[in-house]
């Protein structure tokens, strides 16, 4: 699956919910912060703050910018694929939980 950057805001919101629930579940991210990081990343690429966050979350202080970018792009692809699958199968239990979590986020906070 090819990622076309920058991602639209709705996609970043959905990805933020998915990432915080799955890929980043060991890190303490607020969904709104994750969304903003995704918006920035998809517009401007990997920055030093995001690289530090990924290094901290992975426990690898020597992670290069290239490897961190590949890791994040891989997770974004997985998330886009999973969200698309849930949209095709809205009755799936995980799809229902995803929609519930998405609807509970206060995007204005």
């Amino acid at each position: 699956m090819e990622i076309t950057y920058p991602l639209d805001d709705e996609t970043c919101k959905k990805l933020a919910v998915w990432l915080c629930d799955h890929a980043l579940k060991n890190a303490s991210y607020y969904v709104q912060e994750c969304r903003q990081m995704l918006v920035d990343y998809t517009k401007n690429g990997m920055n030093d703050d995001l690289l530090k966050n990924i290094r901290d979350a992975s426990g690898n202080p020597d992670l290069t910018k290239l490897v961190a970018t590949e890791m994040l792009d891989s997770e974004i692809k997985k998330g886009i694929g999973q969200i698309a699958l849930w949209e095709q199968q809205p009755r799936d239990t995980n799809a229902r939980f995803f929609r519930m979590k998405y609807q509970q986020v206060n995007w204005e906070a």
Side-chain angles (χ1 to χ4, degrees):
M1 173 173 288
E2 186 67 25
I3 303 172
T4 305
Y5 291 124
L7 298 174
D8 64 82
D9 191 53
E10 187 67 21
T11 301
C12 285
K13 287 178 180 178
K14 290 177 180 178
L15 278 170
V17 171
W18 185 84
L19 283 168
C20 286
D21 196 41
H22 295 295
L24 301 174
K25 59 186 165 193
N26 295 325
S28 59
Y29 286 101
Y30 289 108
V31 175
Q32 296 91 333
E33 289 176 359
C34 186
R35 175 189 150 248
Q36 189 57 53
M37 284 190 294
L38 281 168
V39 168
D40 293 344
Y41 173 72
T42 65
K43 287 181 181 176
N44 306 310
M46 183 69 62
N47 63 39
D48 291 338
D49 290 336
L50 183 54
L51 178 59
K52 182 188 179 315
N53 288 339
I54 292 172
R55 284 176 173 164
D56 291 348
S58 69
N60 185 352
D62 300 321
L63 197 68
T64 66
K65 189 178 267 192
L66 177 62
V67 172
T69 299
E70 290 171 352
M71 287 172 53
L72 186 53
D73 283 350
S74 175
E75 291 301 320
I76 288 171
K77 286 180 187 178
K78 285 181 201 173
I80 289 172
Q82 187 62 61
I83 292 164
L85 179 67
W86 286 335
E87 287 174 356
Q88 293 171 1
Q89 300 173 355
R91 300 184 87 158
D92 177 270
T93 301
N94 291 321
R96 290 177 182 185
F97 281 120
F98 174 78
R99 283 192 309 275
M100 180 183 68
K101 289 174 187 174
Y102 180 82
Q103 291 168 355
Q104 290 175 342
V105 176
N106 177 1
W107 294 108
E108 305 304 318

